[in-house]
Amino acid sequence: MTIRIAEDKCTGCGECLAVCPFEALSLVNDKVVVNEACTLCGACVDVCEFGALSMPPEEAGRQPVPRPVDGIWIFAEQRRGRLAPVALELLGEGRRLAEELQATVAAVLFGHHVRGLADELIAGGADKVYVVDHPTLAEFLEEPYAAALTALARRYQPEIILAGATYIGRAFIPRVAAVLDTGLTADCTAFSIDPDHKLLLQTRPAFGGNIMATILTPSSYPQMATVRPRVMKPLTTDHDRQGEIIPVSLPELDQPWRCRFIQTISEISETIPLGEAEVIVAGGRGLQDAKNFRLLEELAELLGGAVGATRAAVDAGWISYQHQIGQTGKTVAPKLYIACGISGAAQHIVGMQSSDLIVAINRDPQAPIFQIADVGLVGDVFEILPALIQHIKANR
Amino acid sequence: MKIIVCLKQVPESQSVRLDPVTHNLQREGVKSIINPFDLYALEEGLRVREQHGGEVVVLSMGPPQAESALREALTYGADRAILLSDRAFAGADTWATAFTLAAAVRRLEGADLIFCGKQAIDGDTAQVGPELAAFLDIPHVAWARKLIFPESGRLQVERLLDHGYDLVEVQLPALVTVVKEINTPRLPSFKAKLRAKTAAIPIWGLAELGLAAEQVGFQGSFTRVVKVFPPPARGQRELLEGSPEEMAAALWLRLRQWRGQ
Ligand SMILES: Cc1cc2nc3c(=O)[nH]c(=O)nc-3n(C[C@H](O)[C@H](O)[C@H](O)COP(=O)(O)OP(=O)(O)OC[C@H]3O[C@@H](n4cnc5c(N)ncnc54)[C@H](O)[C@@H]3O)c2cc1C
Ligand SMILES: Nc1ncnc2c1ncn2[C@@H]1O[C@H](COP(=O)(O)O)[C@@H](O)[C@H]1O
């Protein structure tokens, strides 16, 4: 299936070739032709002034399904009795969407001895909380978590399921979407409701954040998405809010599993995990030595943040891989990102360019990092960082 | 041990960018590469084969030119490659991609271990691996950084999560998605390069997989891209000047103002 071309309308202007992200279009004898690389993203349809390009007609096979009854679900990720911050962010967003859809917001809580967290979820905006308390769910494992959410969704029929795009969320939510025969959009950064069909418009970055795409799940339920942490706004906690706590027992969980949790090997040493940090102070090859990362730790501590690094610094052995940000490391989007001695290679940028405010310190004024930095400081990190640390201590 | 590695051909990340003004695509030096994470998946497959014997089959779904990615995989030492290519596969979302890969795995009569990269750098979804495991009804472990084989039929995996690392165990057959930390991929070998040049890479389409056009590609996909646009432009850039102390003071002032907003 590819885009439709009306040859008589094509003027051979080539506008569409330039917007195709997949190099699927080319000109042959001054007419556009399409190859298999076409993903039907529609970018060319929008740009063609002559109406020569169109999407193929929707197939008749997949009839729209009636809107399910149980509104918006958010997966309330918790670990060892502590809610992941993204759970409350999702509730905030869920409430906003629920207004528009006139639907309820339910939180789904999995774990063992976790019922106490249900009140926090109600205070955070949930109308009801489905609690599945089972020893199998005590530690995260893909298969049982997916089986539990699948069974729950089949039983109660939600219209939308949102989960955090955390390591846990991204590890098991796809399994649920596959089994429920529905679409799933990864790592979304914005949602809205399509006014005509009341469907969820899901916006997410692709190609390392160089392109944004808005995606729809038009003909299947639930509409599912994972959501980038720290993008959505939590509500102010309100302990007077009323909500219903619904304990659910799932017979599906009482079976021998093909996987088991053995132990936690190491907890990441810092107090704040990178993905949750509001502030990240990151260092690159310009730091020259492992011991200089102390400077970053000190600054991070003053700002209540965590330390990140480039691959060059990780490869040099100055800091562990858990701190690596970029294409082959983590993707982060803190409120504040301070890049110290980092050149700004494309593979690093893709992991941090969604940060709200980017500050770069580099002695090379030509360093590409300055092209994406909001605030640039050209100079030596070993002069600027100590001065900054001292200044903050004196002026807090 | 029969091992399947799923790999995808992707455009090099920095080469794809929408011009914020014209919405034209800037594609400086566009180059197709094997998705970087899939090289770690392939390397891990090769290492398991070297320890436990067996074969490594590389599998990719894509347009005909994706054959070059598979051929490259052969130069690292994969035993054989299969390309899933058909006009009907175009426009697949992760569900339809995983569904098609699952049909191919079944046609290969399954595997003891399937490796995927952590995610593909074009879509960054990290969904195809877990969805494939679901379609095959086998367990999977995401974000693996180390594999241990305590006894045959079992696999222990050290895997990355937000809080640190967990050790988990799965029964084979299983699917594993790997992070970069798991190994250092080897260089192509001379012998394998020679072999790769002439190796036959079968192409499987709808007919070979016994699928219907409605199940795959655009038609089989549950998601629709309704709009593609450049990311919002960043705000006013600002360069601070002066001595290190002056810059430090100016930065702190700037951060306080920004925090206050
Ligand atoms: C497939 C692939 C995947 C990759 N994945 C990643 C990834 O996930 N994350 C990642 O970060 N990289 C990744 N890279 C590597 C990336 O291309 C760059 O090599 C890396 O980001 C460079 O790190 P750097 O900025 O620390 O070092 P450099 O590029 O060496 O930059 C150091 C900078 O420090 C400045 N400097 C030096 N001394 C000082 C001083 N005293 N004061 C101030 N400034 C100073 C220099 O001017 C320079 O700009 C990947 C590469 C490939 C090929
Ligand atoms: N078209 C494809 N062909 C083969 N493997 C794929 C394909 N798409 C994705 N994969 C595998 O699934 C992983 C995750 O991809 P994605 O879900 O697109 O981020 C990749 O690292 C590959 O191992």
Side-chain angles (χ1 to χ4, degrees), chain A residues 18 20 40 79 142 170 204 207 212 214 216 258 260 263 265 268 322 327 353 376, chain B residues 25 27 37 122-124 137 142 159 163 165 167 169 218 224 226 229 234 238:
Chain A
C20 174
L40 287 164
R79 188 171 171 275
E142 285 84 346
R170 297 182 78 174
R204 67 177 303 256
F207 290 102
M212 305 296 290
T214 300
L216 207 64
R258 298 176 287 191
R260 72 184 174 98
Q263 67 184 81
I265 307 226
I268 288 176
Q322 292 150 356
Q327 183 180 300
Q353 64 184 354
Chain B
L25 216 79
R27 251 196 249 110
F37 293 109
D122 52 356
D124 291 321
D137 191 23
R159 61 101 143 262
H163 64 270
Y165 294 100
L167 181 65
E169 185 173 272
F218 180 73
R224 290 284 179 267
V226 290
F229 56 102
R234 298 202 69 89
E238 186 180 334

mmCIF file of all heavy atoms in Angstrom, chain A residues 18 20 40 79 142 170 204 207 212 214 216 258 260 263 265 268 322 327 353 376, chain B residues 25 27 37 122-124 137 142 159 163 165 167 169 218 224 226 229 234 238:
data_model
loop_
_atom_site.group_PDB
_atom_site.id
_atom_site.type_symbol
_atom_site.label_atom_id
_atom_site.label_comp_id
_atom_site.label_asym_id
_atom_site.label_seq_id
_atom_site.Cartn_x
_atom_site.Cartn_y
_atom_site.Cartn_z
ATOM 1 N N ALA A 18 10.759 16.598 -1.390
ATOM 2 C CA ALA A 18 11.536 17.214 -0.331
ATOM 3 C C ALA A 18 10.952 16.971 1.056
ATOM 4 O O ALA A 18 11.657 17.017 2.046
ATOM 5 C CB ALA A 18 11.653 18.714 -0.590
ATOM 6 N N CYS A 20 9.251 14.164 1.979
ATOM 7 C CA CYS A 20 9.092 12.747 2.323
ATOM 8 C C CYS A 20 10.211 12.313 3.261
ATOM 9 O O CYS A 20 11.376 12.360 2.888
ATOM 10 C CB CYS A 20 9.104 11.877 1.078
ATOM 11 S SG CYS A 20 9.084 10.118 1.495
ATOM 12 N N LEU A 40 3.037 5.836 4.247
ATOM 13 C CA LEU A 40 1.738 6.491 4.278
ATOM 14 C C LEU A 40 1.621 7.500 5.408
ATOM 15 O O LEU A 40 0.597 7.580 6.071
ATOM 16 C CB LEU A 40 0.624 5.442 4.368
ATOM 17 C CG LEU A 40 0.430 4.686 3.053
ATOM 18 C CD1 LEU A 40 -0.368 3.430 3.269
ATOM 19 C CD2 LEU A 40 -0.271 5.571 2.047
ATOM 20 N N ARG A 79 7.234 0.992 42.503
ATOM 21 C CA ARG A 79 8.251 -0.002 42.798
ATOM 22 C C ARG A 79 8.523 0.054 44.288
ATOM 23 O O ARG A 79 8.788 1.113 44.829
ATOM 24 C CB ARG A 79 9.519 0.301 42.007
ATOM 25 C CG ARG A 79 10.516 -0.798 42.146
ATOM 26 C CD ARG A 79 11.696 -0.659 41.236
ATOM 27 N NE ARG A 79 12.656 -1.656 41.634
ATOM 28 C CZ ARG A 79 13.537 -1.475 42.596
ATOM 29 N NH1 ARG A 79 13.606 -0.326 43.236
ATOM 30 N NH2 ARG A 79 14.362 -2.444 42.940
ATOM 31 N N GLU A 142 7.893 -8.794 32.640
ATOM 32 C CA GLU A 142 7.101 -8.443 31.474
ATOM 33 C C GLU A 142 5.841 -9.282 31.331
ATOM 34 O O GLU A 142 4.740 -8.751 31.141
ATOM 35 C CB GLU A 142 7.927 -8.602 30.185
ATOM 36 C CG GLU A 142 8.961 -7.517 29.931
ATOM 37 C CD GLU A 142 10.274 -7.752 30.649
ATOM 38 O OE1 GLU A 142 10.323 -8.615 31.562
ATOM 39 O OE2 GLU A 142 11.265 -7.083 30.307
ATOM 40 N N ARG A 170 7.749 0.740 28.948
ATOM 41 C CA ARG A 170 8.067 0.391 27.560
ATOM 42 C C ARG A 170 8.386 -1.079 27.405
ATOM 43 O O ARG A 170 8.365 -1.609 26.303
ATOM 44 C CB ARG A 170 9.211 1.261 27.045
ATOM 45 C CG ARG A 170 8.819 2.733 27.033
ATOM 46 C CD ARG A 170 9.905 3.595 26.493
ATOM 47 N NE ARG A 170 9.938 3.530 25.041
ATOM 48 C CZ ARG A 170 10.726 4.290 24.296
ATOM 49 N NH1 ARG A 170 11.514 5.168 24.868
ATOM 50 N NH2 ARG A 170 10.708 4.183 22.988
ATOM 51 N N ARG A 204 4.211 12.707 19.155
ATOM 52 C CA ARG A 204 5.480 12.194 19.667
ATOM 53 C C ARG A 204 6.631 12.591 18.754
ATOM 54 O O ARG A 204 6.447 12.818 17.566
ATOM 55 C CB ARG A 204 5.434 10.675 19.747
ATOM 56 C CG ARG A 204 5.358 9.978 18.398
ATOM 57 C CD ARG A 204 5.400 8.484 18.580
ATOM 58 N NE ARG A 204 6.594 8.103 19.301
ATOM 59 C CZ ARG A 204 7.671 7.548 18.723
ATOM 60 N NH1 ARG A 204 7.692 7.305 17.452
ATOM 61 N NH2 ARG A 204 8.727 7.234 19.431
ATOM 62 N N PHE A 207 12.619 10.180 14.738
ATOM 63 C CA PHE A 207 13.945 10.497 14.206
ATOM 64 C C PHE A 207 14.745 11.319 15.210
ATOM 65 O O PHE A 207 15.252 12.394 14.894
ATOM 66 C CB PHE A 207 13.841 11.235 12.867
ATOM 67 C CG PHE A 207 13.346 10.362 11.756
ATOM 68 C CD1 PHE A 207 12.041 10.422 11.317
ATOM 69 C CD2 PHE A 207 14.191 9.430 11.168
ATOM 70 C CE1 PHE A 207 11.585 9.600 10.313
ATOM 71 C CE2 PHE A 207 13.736 8.601 10.148
ATOM 72 C CZ PHE A 207 12.435 8.684 9.724
ATOM 73 N N MET A 212 8.293 15.735 14.461
ATOM 74 C CA MET A 212 7.189 15.391 15.348
ATOM 75 C C MET A 212 6.101 14.731 14.502
ATOM 76 O O MET A 212 5.893 15.107 13.354
ATOM 77 C CB MET A 212 6.597 16.636 16.014
ATOM 78 C CG MET A 212 7.581 17.494 16.774
ATOM 79 S SD MET A 212 8.312 16.671 18.194
ATOM 80 C CE MET A 212 6.889 16.582 19.277
ATOM 81 N N THR A 214 1.955 13.235 14.656
ATOM 82 C CA THR A 214 0.702 13.054 15.391
ATOM 83 C C THR A 214 0.029 11.791 14.881
ATOM 84 O O THR A 214 -0.108 11.595 13.673
ATOM 85 C CB THR A 214 -0.214 14.275 15.219
ATOM 86 O OG1 THR A 214 0.482 15.409 15.734
ATOM 87 C CG2 THR A 214 -1.503 14.099 15.998
ATOM 88 N N LEU A 216 -2.946 8.538 15.388
ATOM 89 C CA LEU A 216 -4.314 8.240 15.776
ATOM 90 C C LEU A 216 -4.500 6.730 15.743
ATOM 91 O O LEU A 216 -3.914 6.066 14.907
ATOM 92 C CB LEU A 216 -5.204 8.869 14.708
ATOM 93 C CG LEU A 216 -6.599 9.306 15.023
ATOM 94 C CD1 LEU A 216 -6.567 10.422 16.034
ATOM 95 C CD2 LEU A 216 -7.258 9.812 13.733
ATOM 96 N N ARG A 258 6.796 -18.479 33.040
ATOM 97 C CA ARG A 258 8.019 -18.908 32.351
ATOM 98 C C ARG A 258 9.195 -18.009 32.701
ATOM 99 O O ARG A 258 10.263 -18.088 32.118
ATOM 100 C CB ARG A 258 7.786 -18.916 30.843
ATOM 101 C CG ARG A 258 6.694 -19.890 30.453
ATOM 102 C CD ARG A 258 6.389 -19.842 28.976
ATOM 103 N NE ARG A 258 5.654 -18.644 28.593
ATOM 104 C CZ ARG A 258 5.090 -18.467 27.393
ATOM 105 N NH1 ARG A 258 5.211 -19.409 26.465
ATOM 106 N NH2 ARG A 258 4.429 -17.364 27.117
ATOM 107 N N ARG A 260 11.071 -15.592 36.124
ATOM 108 C CA ARG A 260 11.022 -15.232 37.542
ATOM 109 C C ARG A 260 12.073 -14.190 37.851
ATOM 110 O O ARG A 260 13.103 -14.098 37.183
ATOM 111 C CB ARG A 260 11.171 -16.472 38.414
ATOM 112 C CG ARG A 260 12.552 -17.058 38.424
ATOM 113 C CD ARG A 260 12.613 -18.357 39.240
ATOM 114 N NE ARG A 260 13.934 -18.946 39.080
ATOM 115 C CZ ARG A 260 14.915 -18.793 39.971
ATOM 116 N NH1 ARG A 260 14.734 -18.111 41.078
ATOM 117 N NH2 ARG A 260 16.114 -19.335 39.748
ATOM 118 N N GLN A 263 16.931 -11.280 41.696
ATOM 119 C CA GLN A 263 17.353 -10.251 42.658
ATOM 120 C C GLN A 263 17.668 -8.949 41.956
ATOM 121 O O GLN A 263 17.843 -8.910 40.742
ATOM 122 C CB GLN A 263 18.585 -10.713 43.426
ATOM 123 C CG GLN A 263 19.801 -10.827 42.512
ATOM 124 C CD GLN A 263 21.012 -11.383 43.233
ATOM 125 O OE1 GLN A 263 21.129 -12.586 43.396
ATOM 126 N NE2 GLN A 263 21.888 -10.504 43.651
ATOM 127 N N ILE A 265 20.429 -6.321 41.311
ATOM 128 C CA ILE A 265 21.890 -6.387 41.357
ATOM 129 C C ILE A 265 22.459 -5.119 41.933
ATOM 130 O O ILE A 265 23.283 -5.118 42.816
ATOM 131 C CB ILE A 265 22.446 -6.578 39.948
ATOM 132 C CG1 ILE A 265 21.765 -7.760 39.337
ATOM 133 C CG2 ILE A 265 23.971 -6.684 39.983
ATOM 134 C CD1 ILE A 265 22.595 -8.707 38.656
ATOM 135 N N ILE A 268 20.937 2.207 41.215
ATOM 136 C CA ILE A 268 21.781 3.286 40.719
ATOM 137 C C ILE A 268 22.107 4.179 41.901
ATOM 138 O O ILE A 268 21.245 4.538 42.699
ATOM 139 C CB ILE A 268 21.075 4.019 39.568
ATOM 140 C CG1 ILE A 268 21.091 3.087 38.364
ATOM 141 C CG2 ILE A 268 21.768 5.330 39.252
ATOM 142 C CD1 ILE A 268 20.369 3.553 37.158
ATOM 143 N N GLN A 322 25.307 3.817 33.039
ATOM 144 C CA GLN A 322 23.973 4.248 33.472
ATOM 145 C C GLN A 322 23.771 5.749 33.292
ATOM 146 O O GLN A 322 22.652 6.240 33.268
ATOM 147 C CB GLN A 322 23.764 3.928 34.954
ATOM 148 C CG GLN A 322 23.679 2.444 35.228
ATOM 149 C CD GLN A 322 24.182 2.093 36.614
ATOM 150 O OE1 GLN A 322 24.659 2.954 37.339
ATOM 151 N NE2 GLN A 322 24.072 0.837 36.961
ATOM 152 N N GLN A 327 21.945 8.677 21.833
ATOM 153 C CA GLN A 327 21.401 7.643 20.969
ATOM 154 C C GLN A 327 21.589 6.243 21.535
ATOM 155 O O GLN A 327 20.707 5.413 21.467
ATOM 156 C CB GLN A 327 22.091 7.749 19.624
ATOM 157 C CG GLN A 327 21.586 6.792 18.599
ATOM 158 C CD GLN A 327 22.344 6.984 17.307
ATOM 159 O OE1 GLN A 327 22.339 8.050 16.729
ATOM 160 N NE2 GLN A 327 23.012 5.950 16.877
ATOM 161 N N GLN A 353 17.730 16.859 23.592
ATOM 162 C CA GLN A 353 17.278 18.112 22.989
ATOM 163 C C GLN A 353 15.868 18.517 23.400
ATOM 164 O O GLN A 353 15.458 19.640 23.145
ATOM 165 C CB GLN A 353 17.392 18.053 21.478
ATOM 166 C CG GLN A 353 16.505 17.022 20.820
ATOM 167 C CD GLN A 353 16.748 16.941 19.323
ATOM 168 O OE1 GLN A 353 17.504 17.723 18.766
ATOM 169 N NE2 GLN A 353 16.119 15.988 18.674
ATOM 170 N N GLY A 376 24.609 30.141 26.424
ATOM 171 C CA GLY A 376 25.945 29.639 26.159
ATOM 172 C C GLY A 376 27.000 30.368 26.979
ATOM 173 O O GLY A 376 26.915 31.572 27.167
ATOM 174 N N LEU B 25 12.472 18.520 3.871
ATOM 175 C CA LEU B 25 13.343 17.618 4.584
ATOM 176 C C LEU B 25 14.797 17.900 4.242
ATOM 177 O O LEU B 25 15.154 17.965 3.072
ATOM 178 C CB LEU B 25 12.996 16.194 4.198
ATOM 179 C CG LEU B 25 13.166 15.303 5.391
ATOM 180 C CD1 LEU B 25 11.970 15.452 6.290
ATOM 181 C CD2 LEU B 25 13.350 13.898 4.971
ATOM 182 N N ARG B 27 18.331 16.491 4.206
ATOM 183 C CA ARG B 27 18.897 15.150 4.267
ATOM 184 C C ARG B 27 20.350 15.190 3.850
ATOM 185 O O ARG B 27 20.720 14.675 2.822
ATOM 186 C CB ARG B 27 18.133 14.236 3.326
ATOM 187 C CG ARG B 27 17.273 13.247 4.037
ATOM 188 C CD ARG B 27 16.878 12.165 3.090
ATOM 189 N NE ARG B 27 15.463 12.247 2.809
ATOM 190 C CZ ARG B 27 14.974 12.621 1.654
ATOM 191 N NH1 ARG B 27 15.771 12.960 0.666
ATOM 192 N NH2 ARG B 27 13.677 12.640 1.472
ATOM 193 N N PHE B 37 21.578 -0.297 17.478
ATOM 194 C CA PHE B 37 21.316 -1.242 18.571
ATOM 195 C C PHE B 37 21.255 -2.678 18.077
ATOM 196 O O PHE B 37 21.503 -3.610 18.841
ATOM 197 C CB PHE B 37 20.006 -0.901 19.270
ATOM 198 C CG PHE B 37 20.070 0.393 20.012
ATOM 199 C CD1 PHE B 37 19.392 1.499 19.556
ATOM 200 C CD2 PHE B 37 20.845 0.504 21.153
ATOM 201 C CE1 PHE B 37 19.467 2.700 20.243
ATOM 202 C CE2 PHE B 37 20.926 1.701 21.841
ATOM 203 C CZ PHE B 37 20.236 2.809 21.378
ATOM 204 N N ASP B 122 14.980 5.248 14.084
ATOM 205 C CA ASP B 122 14.083 6.100 13.283
ATOM 206 C C ASP B 122 12.801 6.403 14.052
ATOM 207 O O ASP B 122 12.420 7.539 14.239
ATOM 208 C CB ASP B 122 13.798 5.476 11.908
ATOM 209 C CG ASP B 122 13.314 4.036 11.987
ATOM 210 O OD1 ASP B 122 13.266 3.487 13.109
ATOM 211 O OD2 ASP B 122 12.986 3.461 10.946
ATOM 212 N N GLY B 123 12.161 5.365 14.542
ATOM 213 C CA GLY B 123 10.922 5.587 15.276
ATOM 214 C C GLY B 123 11.135 5.626 16.776
ATOM 215 O O GLY B 123 10.306 6.117 17.513
ATOM 216 N N ASP B 124 12.248 5.087 17.265
ATOM 217 C CA ASP B 124 12.525 5.051 18.706
ATOM 218 C C ASP B 124 11.385 4.439 19.510
ATOM 219 O O ASP B 124 11.092 4.901 20.602
ATOM 220 C CB ASP B 124 12.760 6.475 19.275
ATOM 221 C CG ASP B 124 14.056 7.086 18.790
ATOM 222 O OD1 ASP B 124 15.051 6.354 18.694
ATOM 223 O OD2 ASP B 124 14.065 8.298 18.519
ATOM 224 N N ASP B 137 3.901 -15.915 21.525
ATOM 225 C CA ASP B 137 3.595 -16.453 22.846
ATOM 226 C C ASP B 137 4.825 -17.048 23.537
ATOM 227 O O ASP B 137 4.804 -18.162 24.041
ATOM 228 C CB ASP B 137 2.451 -17.482 22.782
ATOM 229 C CG ASP B 137 1.954 -17.839 24.176
ATOM 230 O OD1 ASP B 137 2.164 -17.020 25.099
ATOM 231 O OD2 ASP B 137 1.392 -18.939 24.353
ATOM 232 N N ALA B 142 13.296 -7.254 28.402
ATOM 233 C CA ALA B 142 13.767 -6.053 27.713
ATOM 234 C C ALA B 142 15.004 -5.495 28.408
ATOM 235 O O ALA B 142 15.229 -5.739 29.588
ATOM 236 C CB ALA B 142 12.656 -5.008 27.691
ATOM 237 N N ARG B 159 19.251 -6.997 33.607
ATOM 238 C CA ARG B 159 18.613 -6.008 32.760
ATOM 239 C C ARG B 159 18.484 -4.659 33.467
ATOM 240 O O ARG B 159 18.354 -4.581 34.671
ATOM 241 C CB ARG B 159 17.277 -6.526 32.304
ATOM 242 C CG ARG B 159 16.381 -6.774 33.426
ATOM 243 C CD ARG B 159 15.354 -5.767 33.702
ATOM 244 N NE ARG B 159 14.184 -6.517 34.129
ATOM 245 C CZ ARG B 159 13.216 -6.799 33.313
ATOM 246 N NH1 ARG B 159 13.207 -6.326 32.117
ATOM 247 N NH2 ARG B 159 12.229 -7.526 33.736
ATOM 248 N N HIS B 163 15.692 2.093 38.131
ATOM 249 C CA HIS B 163 16.333 2.170 39.446
ATOM 250 C C HIS B 163 17.684 1.481 39.489
ATOM 251 O O HIS B 163 18.376 1.550 40.475
ATOM 252 C CB HIS B 163 15.422 1.532 40.489
ATOM 253 C CG HIS B 163 15.217 0.062 40.241
ATOM 254 N ND1 HIS B 163 14.192 -0.411 39.463
ATOM 255 C CD2 HIS B 163 15.937 -1.016 40.604
ATOM 256 C CE1 HIS B 163 14.284 -1.731 39.390
ATOM 257 N NE2 HIS B 163 15.336 -2.110 40.062
ATOM 258 N N TYR B 165 19.792 -2.345 38.165
ATOM 259 C CA TYR B 165 19.753 -3.596 37.412
ATOM 260 C C TYR B 165 19.040 -4.678 38.186
ATOM 261 O O TYR B 165 19.198 -4.785 39.393
ATOM 262 C CB TYR B 165 21.183 -4.066 37.117
ATOM 263 C CG TYR B 165 21.907 -3.133 36.196
ATOM 264 C CD1 TYR B 165 22.814 -2.199 36.689
ATOM 265 C CD2 TYR B 165 21.668 -3.167 34.832
ATOM 266 C CE1 TYR B 165 23.465 -1.326 35.832
ATOM 267 C CE2 TYR B 165 22.310 -2.306 33.980
ATOM 268 C CZ TYR B 165 23.212 -1.392 34.478
ATOM 269 O OH TYR B 165 23.842 -0.528 33.625
ATOM 270 N N LEU B 167 18.215 -9.001 38.131
ATOM 271 C CA LEU B 167 18.552 -10.283 37.532
ATOM 272 C C LEU B 167 17.263 -11.083 37.449
ATOM 273 O O LEU B 167 16.586 -11.281 38.460
ATOM 274 C CB LEU B 167 19.584 -11.010 38.391
ATOM 275 C CG LEU B 167 20.041 -12.377 37.862
ATOM 276 C CD1 LEU B 167 20.790 -12.225 36.542
ATOM 277 C CD2 LEU B 167 20.925 -13.083 38.886
ATOM 278 N N GLU B 169 15.135 -14.551 35.390
ATOM 279 C CA GLU B 169 15.374 -15.800 34.653
ATOM 280 C C GLU B 169 14.176 -16.095 33.757
ATOM 281 O O GLU B 169 13.039 -15.877 34.162
ATOM 282 C CB GLU B 169 15.571 -16.942 35.644
ATOM 283 C CG GLU B 169 15.934 -18.251 34.961
ATOM 284 C CD GLU B 169 16.299 -19.340 35.960
ATOM 285 O OE1 GLU B 169 17.484 -19.430 36.324
ATOM 286 O OE2 GLU B 169 15.389 -20.076 36.376
ATOM 287 N N PHE B 218 0.249 -1.191 5.824
ATOM 288 C CA PHE B 218 -0.665 -0.104 6.186
ATOM 289 C C PHE B 218 -2.034 -0.630 6.589
ATOM 290 O O PHE B 218 -2.620 -0.221 7.583
ATOM 291 C CB PHE B 218 -0.773 0.852 4.995
ATOM 292 C CG PHE B 218 -1.679 2.017 5.242
ATOM 293 C CD1 PHE B 218 -1.292 3.047 6.091
ATOM 294 C CD2 PHE B 218 -2.918 2.102 4.614
ATOM 295 C CE1 PHE B 218 -2.134 4.127 6.314
ATOM 296 C CE2 PHE B 218 -3.758 3.180 4.828
ATOM 297 C CZ PHE B 218 -3.361 4.198 5.679
ATOM 298 N N ARG B 224 -2.449 5.386 12.681
ATOM 299 C CA ARG B 224 -2.342 6.192 11.464
ATOM 300 C C ARG B 224 -1.587 7.456 11.810
ATOM 301 O O ARG B 224 -1.935 8.134 12.788
ATOM 302 C CB ARG B 224 -3.743 6.601 10.978
ATOM 303 C CG ARG B 224 -4.572 5.451 10.434
ATOM 304 C CD ARG B 224 -4.104 5.062 9.043
ATOM 305 N NE ARG B 224 -4.850 3.948 8.495
ATOM 306 C CZ ARG B 224 -4.478 2.671 8.610
ATOM 307 N NH1 ARG B 224 -3.400 2.348 9.269
ATOM 308 N NH2 ARG B 224 -5.197 1.710 8.064
ATOM 309 N N VAL B 226 -1.249 11.081 11.260
ATOM 310 C CA VAL B 226 -2.124 12.066 10.630
ATOM 311 C C VAL B 226 -1.395 13.361 10.317
ATOM 312 O O VAL B 226 -1.877 14.176 9.544
ATOM 313 C CB VAL B 226 -3.398 12.352 11.466
ATOM 314 C CG1 VAL B 226 -4.315 11.150 11.433
ATOM 315 C CG2 VAL B 226 -3.063 12.722 12.897
ATOM 316 N N PHE B 229 5.401 17.154 11.451
ATOM 317 C CA PHE B 229 5.798 18.564 11.482
ATOM 318 C C PHE B 229 7.099 18.726 12.252
ATOM 319 O O PHE B 229 7.484 17.843 13.021
ATOM 320 C CB PHE B 229 4.681 19.418 12.102
ATOM 321 C CG PHE B 229 4.261 18.992 13.488
ATOM 322 C CD1 PHE B 229 4.694 19.680 14.594
ATOM 323 C CD2 PHE B 229 3.421 17.891 13.678
ATOM 324 C CE1 PHE B 229 4.313 19.290 15.878
ATOM 325 C CE2 PHE B 229 3.043 17.497 14.949
ATOM 326 C CZ PHE B 229 3.484 18.199 16.051
ATOM 327 N N ARG B 234 13.416 26.369 19.325
ATOM 328 C CA ARG B 234 13.880 26.743 20.663
ATOM 329 C C ARG B 234 13.851 28.261 20.781
ATOM 330 O O ARG B 234 13.882 28.975 19.793
ATOM 331 C CB ARG B 234 15.278 26.216 20.901
ATOM 332 C CG ARG B 234 15.368 24.711 20.845
ATOM 333 C CD ARG B 234 16.586 24.227 21.593
ATOM 334 N NE ARG B 234 16.449 24.422 23.018
ATOM 335 C CZ ARG B 234 15.895 23.530 23.839
ATOM 336 N NH1 ARG B 234 15.435 22.414 23.373
ATOM 337 N NH2 ARG B 234 15.810 23.766 25.132
ATOM 338 N N GLU B 238 21.240 32.898 23.874
ATOM 339 C CA GLU B 238 21.850 33.975 24.631
ATOM 340 C C GLU B 238 23.268 33.548 24.975
ATOM 341 O O GLU B 238 23.502 32.438 25.422
ATOM 342 C CB GLU B 238 21.003 34.113 25.904
ATOM 343 C CG GLU B 238 21.348 35.246 26.781
ATOM 344 C CD GLU B 238 20.418 35.248 27.993
ATOM 345 O OE1 GLU B 238 19.285 34.739 27.906
ATOM 346 O OE2 GLU B 238 20.855 35.752 29.029
#
